[in-house]
Amino acid sequence: MTEDLGYGWQSDLLDLPAYLERIGYDPGPSEGAPRPDAATLRALHRAHVTAIPFENLEIMLGRPVDLDLATVQGKLVGRPRGGYCFEHNRLFAAVLEKIGFEVVALVGRVFMGAERMRPTTHALLHVRTPGQDPDEPALLCDVGFGGGPFEPLEIPGGAEVEQDGWGFRLQPARTASSLRPGAPVWEMHQRGPDGWMRRHSFALNEAYRVDFDVLNYYVSTSPRSPFTARPFVQRFSPEAHLVLDGTALTVTRPSGASETRTVAPVRLPDVLAEEFGIVLEGDDAPRLVKAVDGLNLDV
C-alpha cells in the first residue's frame, strides 16, 4: 500500500455514483460517466449547491467536525445532512479529481462587508480542465459558502456575473503593504439589498488537506468562531436564500426583498427538515433543542 503523503484529495476512496445520486446529477444514458469539461463542472457545481445544505450542527451537538473523506461522504452523501465550507469543498475536490479535473485548494478571509482584517477561515477550489491552455481563465469553485454562486466564476475575472437573478463578481483585492505578493489576491463581491458587498478575499496560493484540518479545528472549536456560538444553516436556490441564524429564519429573494421570523427552539428539528432537508437522527433532535435553549437566544 502506498503511503499517503497528503497530496491530492483521495478520490480513490470516493463513491462517485452515490454522490451523483445525492445531488441529482443525471447526464443521461447517452453521456456515460461525467467528463472533465467546463459544461460538466458548471452542472456539478450547480447541482451540489442546490442539493446539499450548509450547516454547523455537529458543533452544536458537541461533536468534532472530521474531514477524512469517509466521514464527509457518510454525512453529506449518505445521510440527509450538510456541512460547512471545509466539508463541502473537501468532498467536491475529491469528486473533481476523480473525474479528471486539475484541482488546487485555496483559503480565504471572510469579511461579509466588514473592514477589519479577518483570519483565513474559508475553503475554495481553483479548477482547470485537463490540458487547458495556461493563458485561459481558470474556474473558481465554491460549493461551501451557503449563498452561491451556483456556477464557477472565471479567474482572473472582473465582470459582473448574473446567475438566476443573483449577482457576483471578482476583482483585485486591496493589500496591507507595498510589498509585491507572491501571488495575486482577489476579492469575491456579492450583490445584496444594499448594493455590492465584499464577501471574502483569497490569494492564489495552494493549500492542502492538512491546511484544511488546521483551519477547521479553529473554526469548529474557538470561542471566537461564529460557528461555535449558535446554529447557522443555509440553503440556496434560484428562488431564495434561506438562513437560520440561531433562532432567526430569514428568506431573501433575488430582488433583495426579505422576511424574518423567529423559530422556537422546540420547532428547530421540524424547520430543519421542512426548509433545509436536514433530518436529525437518534437523539440529535432533543440534544439540539436543549443546546439552543441553553444559549439564551431571543425566542
Side-chain angles (χ1 to χ4, degrees), residues 211-225:
D211 300 314
F212 279 23
D213 290 339
V214 172
L215 299 176
N216 173 62
Y217 182 78
Y218 169 83
V219 169
S220 63
T221 64
S222 172
R224 299 182 63 182
S225 168

Side-chain angles (χ1 to χ4, degrees), residues 61-212:
L61 294 167
R63 292 194 289 259
V65 177
D66 293 323
L67 297 184
D68 65 274
L69 189 57
T71 300
V72 173
Q73 278 193 104
K75 183 181 173 210
L76 275 66
V77 176
R79 297 159 61 196
R81 290 288 304 274
Y84 59 17
C85 66
F86 294 109
E87 297 168 282
H88 278 277
N89 285 313
R90 170 74 177 91
L91 174 64
F92 201 57
V95 169
L96 298 185
E97 183 182 75
K98 182 91 167 182
I99 294 171
F101 291 96
E102 298 174 4
V103 185
V104 174
L106 308 172
V107 292
R109 306 176 188 276
V110 178
F111 288 94
M112 297 303 291
E115 292 298 321
R116 183 181 294 274
M117 181 57 65
R118 300 291 179 86
T120 49
T121 57
H122 183 55
L124 311 96
L125 302 175
H126 180 279
V127 182
R128 287 185 177 276
T129 56
Q132 181 179 340
D133 188 322
D135 292 330
E136 293 180 359
L139 290 169
L140 181 74
C141 295
D142 187 0
V143 296
F145 200 87
F150 293 112
E151 298 178 5
L153 302 181
E154 286 191 352
I155 182 168
E160 297 178 7
V161 176
E162 190 93 2
Q163 295 183 356
D164 297 89
W166 304 91
F168 305 91
R169 72 183 181 205
L170 293 174
Q171 66 183 52
R174 69 192 77 175
T175 58
S177 75
S178 60
L179 296 176
R180 293 182 63 84
V185 181
W186 291 87
E187 293 177 349
M188 162 83 80
H189 288 241
Q190 185 165 2
R191 191 178 63 228
D194 300 319
W196 288 96
M197 173 191 69
R198 178 174 62 156
R199 196 172 86 172
H200 57 261
S201 71
F202 57 94
L204 296 183
N205 291 319
E206 186 169 7
Y208 302 91
R209 296 187 335 245
V210 67
D211 300 314
F212 279 23

Side-chain angles (χ1 to χ4, degrees), residues 239-243 249-253 257-261 275:
E239 296 76 30
H241 182 201
L242 276 67
V243 178
L249 178 64
T250 300
V251 182
T252 303
R253 309 291 176 185
S258 66
E259 62 263 7
T260 300
R261 64 183 174 93
E275 303 288 352

Side-chain angles (χ1 to χ4, degrees), residues 33-56:
R35 295 173 295 193
D37 56 35
T40 298
L41 182 59
R42 289 193 295 269
L44 289 170
H45 197 289
R46 175 176 286 270
H48 185 121
V49 167
T50 55
I52 308 180
F54 179 105
E55 50 119 318
N56 69 333

